[in-house]
């Protein structure tokens, strides 16, 4: 059974930084795209970043572009999201996703993905 488990969330001051991790188990995702989405209360799920299998490409949402880095360690079957210059509007539950059905392409900025984690809360205090 496949599981994606996010970690690294918590309370962070505005202007600070954090690194989220998503550890996958049950199968390898080294050749599959993985991504991060977030959802704030009362808002739709928003694309944050995605990375292609073997890190050959990446893409970022406009709201985090320039202050976020997505990376992966395929030996650990783990994807990371580093964010800095955090703002109160970054407050959300962050979800890890893996293996979009159509593989890598412009569609990775939105669902569907075949696998999702349970999410980790990030709260940015001003």
């Amino acid at each position: 059974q496949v599981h994606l488990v996010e970690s690294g969330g918590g309370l962070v001051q505005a202007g600070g930084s954090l690194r989220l991790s998503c550890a996958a188990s049950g199968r390898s995702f080294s050749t599959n795209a993985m991504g991060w989405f977030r959802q704030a209360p009362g808002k739709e799920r928003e694309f944050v970043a995605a990375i292609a299998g073997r890190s050959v490409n990446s893409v970022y949402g406009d709201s985090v572009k320039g202050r976020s880095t997505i990376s992966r360690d395929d030996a650990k079957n783990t994807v990371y999201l580093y964010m800095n210059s955090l703002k109160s509007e970054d407050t959300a539950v962050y979800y890890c996703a893996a293996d979009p059905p159509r593989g890598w392409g412009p569609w990775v900025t939105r669902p569907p993905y075949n696998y999702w984690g349970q999410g980790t809360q990030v709260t940015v205090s001003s």
Side-chain angles (χ1 to χ4, degrees):
Q1 193 171 4
V2 174
H3 293 284
L4 302 179
V5 179
E6 301 96 336
S7 61
L11 179 63
V12 186
Q13 284 193 330
S17 62
L18 59 72
R19 188 181 78 160
L20 302 180
S21 301
C22 171
S25 61
R27 56 160 282 188
S28 171
F29 290 102
S30 62
T31 60
N32 304 104
M34 299 185 75
W36 288 94
F37 291 77
R38 67 186 184 185
Q39 189 165 19
K43 295 188 176 181
E44 294 186 353
R45 192 164 293 193
E46 177 189 18
F47 171 73
V48 177
I51 187 167
R54 307 202 187 285
S55 304
V56 297
N57 209 341
S58 60
V59 61
Y60 296 89
D62 288 341
S63 60
V64 302
K65 197 175 296 183
R67 56 189 187 94
S68 297
T69 302
I70 188 170
S71 61
R72 62 192 298 164
D73 183 339
D74 291 329
K76 296 181 178 180
N77 216 18
T78 299
V79 64
Y80 305 96
L81 178 69
Y82 173 78
M83 296 181 64
N84 59 22
S85 302
L86 287 165
K87 310 171 185 178
S88 58
E89 47 264 48
D90 293 318
T91 295
V93 177
Y94 284 70
Y95 296 93
C96 173
D99 188 24
R102 292 194 285 167
W104 183 261
W107 46 82
V108 299
T109 62
R110 54 190 182 274
Y113 278 65
N114 285 325
Y115 305 97
W116 291 86
Q118 293 299 305
T120 186
Q121 175 71 47
V122 173
T123 302
V124 181
S125 63
S126 55

